[in-house]
Amino acid sequence: MTSKQVERMKVPLLDLQAQYATIRDEVRAAIDRVFESQQFVLSSEVQALEEEIARYSQTKFAIGCASGSDALLLALMSCDVGDGDEVITTPLSFFATASAITRLGARPVFVDVDPQTYNLNSSLVAEAITARTKAIVPVHLYGQCAEMDPLIELSRQGCRHTDVGSPEIPIIEDAAQAIGAEDHGRRAGSMGTIGCFSFYPSKNLGGAGDGGMLVTNDLDHARRLHMLRVHGEERKYHHRVIGLNSRLDALQAAVLRVKLPHLDAWTLARQRKAQQYELMFSDAGLTERIGLPFVRSGTRHIFHQFVIRVRDGRRDALREHLRARGVGTDVYYPVPLHLQECFAFLGYEKGDFPIAEAAAQETLALPVYPELTPDQQDYVVSSIKDF
């Protein structure tokens, strides 16, 4: 690579235009199909996508909704989470994970994360369960599943803090970043009571706007979710429960149906980019100073993000250096949920979850997407080495 090429190099965090160029004709044909039908809400396109996502996710049912945030809210509603209940989850996640809980009058009970995967530390969950625990919400962060077997066992044991029996504690999987990820052969979203996906454009399977999906193997939850997404309507103008207006648009479904057959190839490309990064960081002699993503044994990591760790307190300086070099980065998430101003009423303080807090200060997401070129990867790693 010449010096002039280096000077001109730009590496966005994500290049959706490059992806679109490979499927432009398919997408336009799908959009035309929807406009010709003039069926825009909960149409045959949505039903077809639901069937395809259910098969892909190894579940019996899938229910489309307006966003990944709504998917979480609807899942909690289907599990009857409400005033005074507690829901165990992680402090290192997107805001919607905890906001959906509080919107229903329940309390998020945070548990610290695993220091290697940054997912909910399953070994700490048991001590957080109380008589008020109504659900557990693990987040499959960055495209890797949380360790599910211990959580499934806790779910089956139910709450042991009550004398009135111990019904199972439902698990709601926040799989917004993890469609197609696996834990010992089981797909994200299929292991708990309900799984939640987001189709925000930047996701591995992203639409042309907001969109979400819920998956489940439970017929009762499937029926309830179908009602909840349309104002609790069982049949037209007859409402059994109070629900939401959260319907997946047919246009979004059509675009996603074009993309879904490409998803496994895109995932393989992301995995190869991650492997290439590991080789490049090793060859550059950076592995002692830069922590690379840890992949648990028996998992399928889909690398929604390639997140490194900068332990010398210079993460923000490195990010600024990369920005000046034209390299896109992001921090997921700079302020853990328990330290967000709007959750001050929960009473948490700095230092309560030191692993999550350290990750928030030290992690940095680098560009990783199927169209990323070897020259661009080399430029990213060379720029880090220069720093």
Side-chain angles (χ1 to χ4, degrees):
M1 192 181 301
T2 67
S3 59
K4 288 186 178 180
Q5 286 174 320
V6 169
E7 289 173 5
R8 290 196 301 268
M9 183 71 73
K10 298 292 182 183
V11 189
L13 180 64
L14 179 64
D15 191 349
L16 290 176
Q17 290 177 324
Q19 182 193 80
Y20 178 61
T22 68
I23 55 174
R24 179 186 289 109
D25 292 343
E26 294 176 82
V27 170
R28 289 181 173 179
I31 291 173
D32 284 345
R33 183 173 70 240
V34 174
F35 271 96
E36 288 296 329
S37 75
Q38 287 293 294
Q39 301 295 313
F40 297 110
V41 179
L42 294 185
S43 68
S44 59
E45 292 285 352
V46 173
Q47 183 177 351
L49 177 67
E50 290 172 339
E51 293 170 355
E52 291 160 6
I53 292 293
R55 284 195 298 271
Y56 187 80
S57 300
Q58 302 174 350
T59 61
K60 295 178 181 178
F61 310 104
I63 302 94
C65 63
S67 68
S69 298
D70 274 5
L72 289 166
L73 184 61
L74 289 163
L76 291 163
M77 292 171 69
S78 188
C79 293
D80 292 321
V81 172
D83 285 339
D85 292 332
E86 294 178 350
V87 178
I88 297 171
T89 192
T90 167
L92 193 66
S93 180
F94 181 60
F95 179 72
T97 306
S99 68
I101 298 167
T102 55
R103 283 181 65 183
L104 295 174
R107 177 186 178 88
V109 175
F110 296 118
V111 169
D112 213 347
V113 300
D114 180 273
Q116 292 181 299
T117 67
Y118 312 118
N119 279 322
L120 182 70
N121 190 332
S122 299
S123 67
L124 302 178
V125 171
E127 62 189 60
I129 294 174
T130 73
R132 292 188 174 185
T133 302
K134 198 62 175 285
I136 302 171
V137 181
V139 178
H140 303 320
L141 201 63
Y142 307 145
Q144 179 169 209
C145 288
E147 189 177 9
M148 290 298 295
D149 282 337
L151 299 180
I152 292 169
E153 180 58 30
L154 288 172
S155 169
R156 290 171 178 165
Q157 291 174 3
C159 179
R160 291 169 289 179
H161 299 270
T162 177
D163 296 327
V164 294
S166 55
E168 290 190 6
I169 300 172
I171 294 175
I172 298 170
E173 295 177 65
D174 184 341
Q177 300 181 2
I179 188 166
E182 295 179 2
D183 181 25
H184 298 285
R186 302 163 299 181
R187 282 280 164 96
S190 71
M191 295 171 278
T193 309
I194 303 172
C196 303
F197 296 123
S198 167
F199 299 133
Y200 188 76
S202 63
K203 296 297 191 288
N204 291 30
L205 181 63
D210 276 316
M213 187 76 71
L214 301 112
V215 293
T216 184
N217 287 306
D218 187 292
L219 177 60
D220 289 337
H221 277 296
R223 288 172 172 167
R224 188 170 172 84
L225 290 166
H226 273 107
M227 289 190 295
L228 286 168
R229 72 174 176 182
V230 286
H231 296 294
E233 189 176 81
E234 185 176 32
R235 54 193 174 92
K236 196 170 185 179
Y237 304 132
H238 292 77
H239 304 267
R240 285 188 57 192
V241 294
I242 298 173
L244 307 176
N245 177 23
S246 182
R247 300 171 293 196
L248 181 63
D249 291 339
L251 282 169
Q252 297 301 335
V255 171
L256 292 163
R257 291 187 67 205
V258 169
K259 290 188 171 187
L260 182 58
H262 298 277
L263 183 56
D264 282 338
W266 290 340
T267 293
L268 180 59
R270 285 173 176 271
Q271 291 168 333
R272 288 174 174 168
K273 304 301 177 186
Q275 292 169 353
Q276 187 62 31
Y277 266 137
E278 291 176 359
L279 291 173
M280 288 179 169
F281 275 103
S282 179
D283 290 344
L286 290 170
T287 53
E288 290 187 3
R289 302 189 65 184
I290 298 292
L292 299 179
F294 175 83
V295 180
R296 276 197 309 113
S297 176
T299 65
R300 182 193 193 215
H301 197 322
I302 64 166
F303 287 98
H304 173 61
Q305 302 294 343
F306 186 91
V307 176
I308 64 171
R309 189 157 190 164
V310 186
R311 292 190 173 88
D312 58 4
R314 303 181 70 197
R315 191 271 311 276
D316 292 343
L318 172 60
R319 188 182 185 196
E320 178 59 27
H321 169 80
L322 292 174
R323 185 202 62 77
R325 292 287 189 98
V327 176
T329 65
D330 208 343
V331 175
Y332 302 95
Y333 297 92
V335 181
L337 294 174
H338 68 288
L339 299 180
Q340 293 286 347
E341 181 179 353
C342 65
F343 292 139
F345 72 94
L346 295 173
Y348 291 111
E349 298 179 353
K350 187 174 183 180
D352 284 345
F353 306 108
I355 307 301
E357 292 170 28
Q361 295 298 313
E362 298 174 353
T363 54
L364 185 68
L366 300 181
V368 60
Y369 46 90
E371 300 79 17
L372 189 68
T373 68
D375 281 348
Q376 286 177 313
Q377 285 193 273
D378 181 64
Y379 180 68
V380 172
V381 177
S382 297
S383 296
I384 294 173
K385 185 176 181 180
D386 288 346
F387 177 78

